[in-house]
Amino acid sequence: MERRQFIKVGALSTIGLLGGASVLLSTHEEGQDETEALTVSAVIAKLEALSGKRILHTGTWNPAKIFTHCAQSIEFSMTGYPEHKSDLFKNTLGSLAFSAFSLKGSMVHALDEVIPGAPVISIDDKAMPEEQFEALTRLKKAFVDFNQFEGTLEPHFAYGQLTKAEYEAAHVMHVYNHFDELSVV
């Protein structure tokens, strides 16, 4: 490929990527201000509001499995994720995805995708109310523990090294994304 053609293709590719990123970042749901609510205290308040309620789900996972999965992610940020994407992935696509989510103030991911290497969550589809309560309690405790954690946080399995503030936003966005499949009766 000639140098001039290489430069032209590179410039067009960059413009295309930037255009795609700006479309992704500009899709903000009307009436929401997620960036103000991306705190541990805000999500705990939302979780408290779920206590004792009958929660329905529209996705593959029931509420108990969702709460356990989200708790695992928070716990792993303090103890270490069992498996990681490659450093190349974390330093390119992973960090780009996290940056896009951060700028948008919300996350979108496959809501039935397990954390690589995490213990299997053995809560069946017909979870009992006490299992849902236990899982919700575990999730709230994970957030409290994270909020009080003063040690060195472990790298995220896909995003790489995050600051505590970045992790806080990531964990809250993760839970809020899973809320998309929940409703209270």
Side-chain angles (χ1 to χ4, degrees):
M1 179 182 297
E2 290 182 28
R3 184 172 186 261
R4 177 179 283 167
Q5 188 178 14
F6 178 78
I7 291 170
K8 201 184 275 186
V9 168
L12 289 173
S13 297
T14 302
I15 291 168
L17 284 173
L18 292 174
S22 67
V23 167
L24 173 70
L25 297 175
S26 67
T27 56
H28 182 78
E29 291 184 39
E30 197 171 316
Q32 287 187 339
D33 191 4
E34 295 93 345
T35 55
E36 288 184 25
L38 296 181
T39 63
V40 168
S41 58
V43 76
I44 286 177
K46 289 181 184 289
L47 295 172
E48 288 290 341
L50 296 176
S51 292
K53 301 281 194 312
R54 184 163 175 246
I55 305 168
L56 302 177
H57 64 98
T58 58
T60 308
W61 291 354
N62 63 42
K65 193 165 187 173
I66 289 170
F67 299 149
T68 301
H69 164 78
C70 291
Q72 282 181 330
S73 184
I74 298 164
E75 293 160 356
F76 288 145
S77 70
M78 296 177 281
T79 61
Y81 288 86
E83 291 179 17
H84 286 261
K85 301 277 188 183
S86 70
D87 287 342
L88 178 64
F89 181 93
K90 288 191 275 189
N91 292 320
T92 55
L93 295 175
S95 64
L96 180 64
F98 179 73
S99 294
F101 296 152
S102 295
L103 287 170
K104 186 178 178 199
S106 65
M107 173 186 294
V108 177
H109 76 297
L111 297 176
D112 60 356
E113 187 175 350
V114 299
I115 298 166
V120 174
I121 301 169
S122 60
I123 300 170
D124 68 21
D125 289 339
K126 307 246 187 297
M128 302 305 291
E130 56 272 7
E131 289 176 296
Q132 180 177 298
F133 175 78
E134 288 171 11
L136 183 58
T137 300
R138 178 179 174 184
L139 179 54
K140 289 187 284 190
K141 181 182 181 321
F143 270 118
V144 169
D145 291 348
F146 174 82
N147 209 31
Q148 296 172 348
F149 188 75
E150 294 183 6
T152 302
L153 292 165
E154 298 293 326
H156 187 274
F157 76 93
Y159 305 144
Q161 196 62 51
L162 299 177
T163 66
K164 188 162 187 181
E166 290 169 332
Y167 249 130
E168 179 177 21
H171 290 320
V172 175
M173 287 187 290
H174 183 220
V175 169
Y176 287 171
N177 188 200
H178 280 284
F179 277 5
D180 291 343
E181 292 188 340
L182 301 178
S183 61
V184 177
V185 189

